[in-house]
Amino acid sequence: MKTLMDVQELQDRMISGAQTILLDVRWALGDPRGHEHYREAHIPGAVYVDLETQLCAPGGPGLGRHPLPDADALQESARRWGIDDGDTVVAYDDSGNLAAARLWWLLRNAGFPSVRLLDGGLAAWRAAGLDTEGGEERHCVGTVHLTTGHMPAVSISDLVQPSTVDVVLDARAGERFRGEHEPIDPRAGHIPGAVSAPTSENLLPDGRFRSRDELRRRFRALGADRGRVAVYCGSGITAAHEIAALDVAGIEASLFPGSWSQWSTTDGLPVAVGA
């Protein structure tokens, strides 16, 4: 199953009329105006996906900020986006797919294999000189059937047992990993034994993913080519991007959905600081 689709392939599919559901997952931490940005300009035919309400369950004590939605809720949303069984879904955003990768992971986890990330997202579409449109796009309600449990995931109990996971990657920025700056969660630092692996380093300056060989070298240097790998971030959003990058590199990895927002608010769990 391919992870990425480039702009040329997407354009060819659109011209040929191949059944493609385009989903715009415009979201960034600290910017609540994703839907507004979508209405101003998006790839023609793309449907807006609200990450906070459609790709997450409500947060709460001991759950983290962005818990995974349950299977029924995700299926209901997917049908509203117009997805039928057998469609190809292409997700994108305007931040190097840091948000869209959450949708990619959720649909893969729900047993929907034909979902791809538009490499470079909206920026790549614009760089190719292609038109955007404004307003709101809606499709007829789809009939897709989704389940759950098709992608590996780990919990806190898995991470506190050394025999369960061999390598834990922290996808947050280095200063958050080291505990120098924590803008959101109550404790600064990282899960003891984790390795700093900022998601931003998966990308080229233009927002496209690095090549398979580059990513393989990166993750090999982090020790992620040996044993069982788990990934976390602040709340489980950008960790999915790291898993997509690992997938491009040919490495399977498990998501820790609660991530640091769950670990740091759970009593009795240790916290490490520094490099």
Side-chain angles (χ1 to χ4, degrees):
M1 295 180 289
K2 290 185 177 180
T3 304
L4 306 177
M5 179 180 292
D6 62 26
V7 167
Q8 185 61 59
E9 184 179 353
L10 175 60
Q11 189 181 26
D12 291 345
R13 289 185 64 87
M14 294 170 73
I15 292 171
S16 70
Q19 184 59 27
T20 305
I21 302 296
L22 259 176
L23 299 179
D24 184 311
V25 196
R26 214 83 60 89
W27 178 89
L29 192 63
D31 182 3
R33 298 173 57 235
H35 204 166
E36 183 179 335
H37 298 319
Y38 162 85
R39 291 192 184 104
E40 290 169 356
H42 56 264
I43 297 174
V47 173
Y48 179 70
V49 174
D50 188 289
L51 183 144
E52 294 279 357
T53 62
Q54 295 181 309
L55 305 184
C56 306
L63 298 175
R65 283 182 278 113
H66 292 123
L68 300 180
D70 67 38
D72 289 342
L74 181 62
Q75 178 174 275
E76 181 181 348
S77 294
R79 289 179 175 181
R80 285 205 299 270
W81 304 328
I83 302 176
D84 293 324
D85 293 320
D87 286 347
T88 294
V89 172
V90 181
Y92 74 91
D93 57 34
D94 201 18
S95 56
N97 285 313
L98 294 177
R102 169 76 164 205
L103 174 61
W104 169 85
W105 190 92
L106 283 172
L107 286 182
R108 285 280 184 90
N109 186 56
F112 190 90
S114 188
V115 53
R116 313 266 290 277
L117 294 170
L118 179 63
D119 199 12
L122 183 61
W125 182 266
R126 285 171 161 159
L130 299 171
D131 291 336
T132 59
E133 64 182 15
E136 195 83 36
E137 181 76 28
R138 299 189 187 279
H139 293 319
C140 296
V141 175
T143 58
V144 68
H145 296 85
L146 300 180
T147 54
T148 191
H150 298 270
M151 291 284 276
V154 296
S155 64
I156 286 176
S157 61
D158 295 319
L159 294 178
V160 298
Q161 298 175 22
S163 62
T164 304
V165 176
D166 300 297
V167 180
V168 179
L169 300 181
D170 185 317
R172 297 173 302 160
E175 61 269 21
R176 291 185 70 189
F177 173 86
R178 295 187 295 271
E180 298 165 0
H181 176 62
E182 180 47 66
I184 305 170
D185 295 309
R187 289 195 287 171
H190 59 267
I191 296 173
V195 178
S196 180
T199 303
S200 58
E201 295 180 18
N202 296 327
L203 298 173
L204 297 166
D206 63 3
R208 290 181 298 116
F209 278 80
R210 295 187 181 277
S211 70
R212 177 184 175 91
D213 287 344
E214 288 178 295
L215 290 170
R216 284 193 67 83
R217 286 194 294 271
R218 181 195 182 206
F219 291 123
R220 187 181 300 120
L222 295 170
D225 61 334
R226 301 184 297 274
R228 296 154 297 185
V229 180
V231 184
Y232 74 96
C233 59
S235 64
I237 302 298
T238 57
H241 188 280
E242 191 109 295
I243 291 175
L246 284 155
D247 192 63
V248 172
I251 300 170
E252 183 179 80
S254 299
L255 175 69
F256 173 28
S259 284
W260 186 246
S261 63
Q262 183 183 28
W263 184 279
S264 64
T265 56
T266 300
D267 292 339
L269 292 180
V271 170
V273 296

